[in-house]
Amino acid sequence: MATENTIKILHLEDSPVDAELISELILATGMKAEIELAEDRQQFETALKRGADYDLIITDFMLPRFNSFGALEVVRELCPHVPVICVSGAIGEETAIEVLKAGAVDYVLKDRLARLPTAIKRAIEVSRERRMRLVAEEENRTLSRALHQSPVLILVTGKDHRIKFVNRKVIQFTGYTFHNLVGREISVFAAGDASKQTFVKMQESIDKGGEFRSEFKGVKRNGDEFDASLIASPVLNEQGEVAYYLISIEDITPRKELEKKLVHEKEKAEAASRLKDAFISNLSHEIRTPLNGIIGMASIIEETFGPLSPGDNGGYFDSMEKSVRRLIKTVEMLLSISKVQLGDYPYHPEEFSLKYLLENVVSEFNEIADEKRLEIRTNFNAADPVVTADMEAMKDVFGYLLDNAIKYTKTGFIEISTGMDGDGIPFARVKDTGVGISEDYQKDLFSPFRQQESGIGRPFEGLGLGLPISKKLLDMNGCAIEVDSSTGKGTAITIRFLKVNFS
């Protein structure tokens, strides 16, 4: 097709004189036109097959071995949307009628060519109307296919909520027929008054200019109920006023059933976890009490009979006490993890000196470090920040961290330091020269009962609870924990305190 104000014409004419005459006649009227000449059937078909988008075809009625009827057949096959005007030197009324029946929009006699410009304008107008109609029809067909093939239920209602249109999915899913539904209120799908109110709210929302989304309990024709999600939006008329409601409804029953199942399973799992934690808590109390009694009795026995024991037999008492204390420590960790998971850990925030806390923790581990010939170094920041947290909880945290550092370090040192980061946030760091933590295990570092090496042949004792408990306690106190470690290169664990004062 040519530019907006220029028409593109294919002219089938074997007479150069007639072709020139018709061309001059068209241009003399002031009409802007690009005219391409085809002198025989071959040139005519070649031009059409080339894909040029013509606005109009003018064809001579009779050519050697070709005529208008043959040209119209070619047009019907290759470009049926292009209008054709037949020009003839002499044509009878019956033949003219046959030409029109064959698809021509008009015919003009050569002795009346003055009528040709008018015929061209009319043909172009008819062609444009036909094209617009074809485009509209194709749009309607596409829209209809899309609506009817949609996997969701689609309805159109008037402002009175009465149904104007439903797609096939509505018919298939609800069991109604098209005639059952048209004219009925959309509340026919509502199961109960609460669901009917959904459509009242829909109208209120859309009339304010917005779309509406909700969920409701629907009902089919046979009485079966279903869970549904609804999206409704306005359809405006030419004046911009709400004329109809476009509504899509999706069956979400499977999703709702899955949600209920997941909630039920989650509640079961949480109940089982609470039962487990309560069991561990009760068991821990039951075990710790007799163990404390054993330590007390062992001390009495050592004081009474130790001086009478020959040689190095006194070491037996030390071994007994260490074993019992290890059991007590295990029980206390089980009790702690059950408390933090049950939410029963007491929380009493207070202000305290970070240096004071760490000095007290270090003093409790000096003897253990000396036994492994490890040095505990301290490097405290001169500012000595006063942080706000639960002091007992933080004492437990640094106790676990220092215990792990000593446990996993064979040679070298452990360093406890404090400082301030670039944002003015105080931190404490526990650094060791131990075995380090593998990259694969770091993702499970805070999972209870997980250890880098497991099994009865593992080189280090413990249950894998120190860091999980620490993480829970730090979360409770609004603190952040960062781990920097790699296998064979030691570990540095940094605790940042977000609640802080300065002494």
Side-chain angles (χ1 to χ4, degrees):
M1 185 176 290
T3 60
E4 184 177 354
N5 296 321
T6 303
I7 60 173
K8 192 168 185 178
I9 300 173
L10 177 61
H11 187 189
L12 177 60
E13 175 61 69
D14 63 336
S15 169
V17 175
D18 288 348
E20 183 67 23
L21 179 63
I22 290 175
S23 178
E24 290 178 356
L25 178 64
I26 293 172
L27 298 176
T29 62
M31 192 181 300
K32 294 181 180 180
E34 294 178 8
I35 304 173
E36 181 179 347
L37 182 64
E39 297 181 352
D40 55 31
R41 176 172 187 158
Q42 183 177 355
Q43 291 181 8
F44 184 66
E45 291 183 352
T46 300
L48 294 179
K49 289 179 180 178
R50 195 168 59 239
D53 198 0
Y54 297 104
D55 295 292
L56 177 68
I57 296 172
I58 300 175
T59 174
D60 190 12
F61 178 74
M62 185 61 68
L63 293 84
R65 295 180 299 279
F66 198 43
N67 60 18
S68 290
F69 291 108
L72 287 166
E73 289 181 5
V74 175
V75 171
R76 280 199 301 270
E77 179 182 350
L78 300 178
C79 50
H81 60 281
V82 180
V84 178
I85 294 176
C86 178
V87 176
S88 174
I91 184 172
E93 185 177 343
E94 291 183 2
T95 304
I97 293 173
E98 291 301 320
V99 168
L100 294 175
K101 286 182 178 180
V105 297
D106 206 346
Y107 70 92
V108 177
L109 298 176
K110 288 185 177 181
D111 60 358
R112 296 181 182 176
L113 283 178
R115 199 176 71 83
L116 183 59
T118 302
I120 290 174
K121 291 179 181 178
R122 177 177 172 276
I124 295 296
E125 187 63 32
V126 170
S127 173
R128 286 175 179 167
E129 290 177 357
R130 181 189 298 171
R131 290 192 185 198
M132 291 173 63
R133 186 172 64 253
L134 290 174
V135 169
E137 289 174 353
E138 181 58 29
E139 287 180 350
N140 287 337
R141 283 193 294 270
T142 301
L143 179 60
S144 178
R145 284 193 296 268
L147 289 173
H148 286 299
Q149 294 176 23
S150 171
V152 300
L153 287 66
I154 297 178
L155 308 92
V156 176
T157 74
K159 293 188 67 176
D160 59 359
H161 288 192
R162 296 193 179 278
I163 297 170
K164 304 290 185 182
F165 168 85
V166 295
N167 69 347
R168 292 196 188 101
K169 186 67 176 180
V170 175
I171 306 303
Q172 296 167 359
F173 182 76
T174 65
Y176 287 98
T177 66
F178 181 82
H179 297 293
N180 289 147
L181 291 175
V182 172
R184 297 183 68 173
E185 290 193 5
I186 194 172
S187 57
V188 68
F189 299 121
D193 293 338
S195 293
K196 290 180 180 179
Q197 284 300 310
T198 299
F199 297 108
V200 175
K201 293 176 182 177
M202 175 191 77
Q203 182 173 11
E204 294 173 352
S205 177
I206 293 179
D207 287 347
K208 292 178 181 178
E211 69 174 27
F212 177 77
R213 295 172 181 264
S214 185
E215 293 182 359
F216 71 100
K217 179 71 74 172
V219 62
K220 301 180 182 180
R221 186 178 186 181
N222 62 6
D224 290 347
E225 294 187 355
F226 61 96
D227 291 297
S229 67
L230 176 147
I231 301 176
S233 57
V235 178
L236 307 181
N237 59 21
E238 294 178 354
Q239 289 73 41
E241 301 168 336
V242 177
Y244 303 100
Y245 299 143
L246 176 63
I247 302 168
S248 66
I249 297 174
E250 182 178 3
D251 175 26
I252 57 172
T253 304
R255 191 189 80 193
K256 286 291 187 180
E257 291 176 349
L258 179 60
E259 288 176 357
K260 290 178 182 177
K261 184 177 179 181
L262 290 175
V263 169
H264 178 65
E265 293 300 324
K266 179 175 179 288
E267 290 174 347
K268 282 176 60 178
E270 290 174 346
S273 179
R274 288 193 297 270
L275 183 63
K276 177 201 69 176
D277 292 334
F279 171 76
I280 291 175
S281 178
N282 292 335
L283 184 64
S284 299
H285 281 295
E286 292 298 321
I287 294 175
R288 186 169 55 177
T289 301
L291 287 177
N292 284 325
I294 292 174
I295 288 180
M297 293 302 297
S299 296
I300 293 173
I301 293 172
E302 182 179 12
E303 290 174 2
T304 303
F305 299 102
L308 305 177
S309 179
D312 295 330
N313 290 340
Y316 295 151
F317 295 106
D318 291 339
S319 178
M320 179 188 300
E321 183 176 349
K322 287 181 180 178
S323 296
V324 174
R325 290 196 182 282
R326 178 181 171 187
L327 278 173
I328 290 176
K329 178 183 174 183
T330 299
V331 171
E332 287 178 342
M333 292 188 76
L334 287 171
L335 184 59
S336 293
I337 192 68
S338 67
K339 282 183 177 180
V340 295
Q341 289 185 337
L342 285 170
D344 290 340
Y345 199 98
Y347 177 59
H348 303 294
E350 58 182 306
E351 294 182 355
F352 58 88
S353 162
L354 192 51
K355 177 183 176 182
Y356 171 78
L357 171 72
L358 294 174
E359 285 177 339
N360 277 275
V361 174
V362 169
S363 66
E364 295 180 8
F365 285 88
N366 277 324
E367 183 178 347
I368 301 174
D370 289 342
E371 289 177 2
K372 293 188 68 174
R373 297 181 180 177
L374 298 174
E375 177 188 2
I376 298 181
R377 303 174 181 175
T378 58
N379 181 17
F380 298 131
N381 185 279
D384 188 19
V386 174
V387 298
T388 301
D390 186 305
M391 190 172 181
E392 287 302 315
M394 299 313 299
K395 185 178 179 181
D396 286 345
V397 168
F398 285 105
Y400 292 137
L401 296 183
L402 196 52
D403 183 59
N404 279 349
I406 294 172
K407 181 194 303 184
Y408 293 109
T409 302
K410 295 180 180 179
T411 60
F413 64 88
I414 292 96
E415 182 180 79
I416 313 296
S417 61
T418 62
M420 307 287 291
D421 65 17
D423 295 323
I425 303 298
F427 65 84
R429 181 174 292 128
V430 179
K431 183 179 180 181
D432 64 57
T433 57
V435 297
I437 305 169
S438 69
E439 185 177 348
D440 289 339
Y441 176 65
Q442 287 186 32
K443 64 180 183 296
D444 297 319
L445 206 54
F446 302 114
S447 300
F449 305 106
R450 299 293 294 271
Q451 292 182 295
Q452 189 163 224
E453 297 183 52
S454 58
I456 58 174
R458 67 188 189 277
F460 301 102
E461 65 184 40
L463 295 176
L465 291 176
L467 283 175
I469 294 173
S470 297
K471 181 66 168 64
K472 293 281 188 181
L473 294 178
L474 290 169
D475 289 344
M476 181 179 72
N477 284 277
C479 298
I481 182 170
E482 301 167 4
V483 179
D484 182 14
S485 182
S486 58
T487 305
K489 296 184 179 180
T491 300
I493 297 182
T494 303
I495 308 300
R496 300 190 187 277
F497 294 83
L498 305 182
K499 300 175 182 178
V500 59
N501 296 304
F502 293 98
S503 60

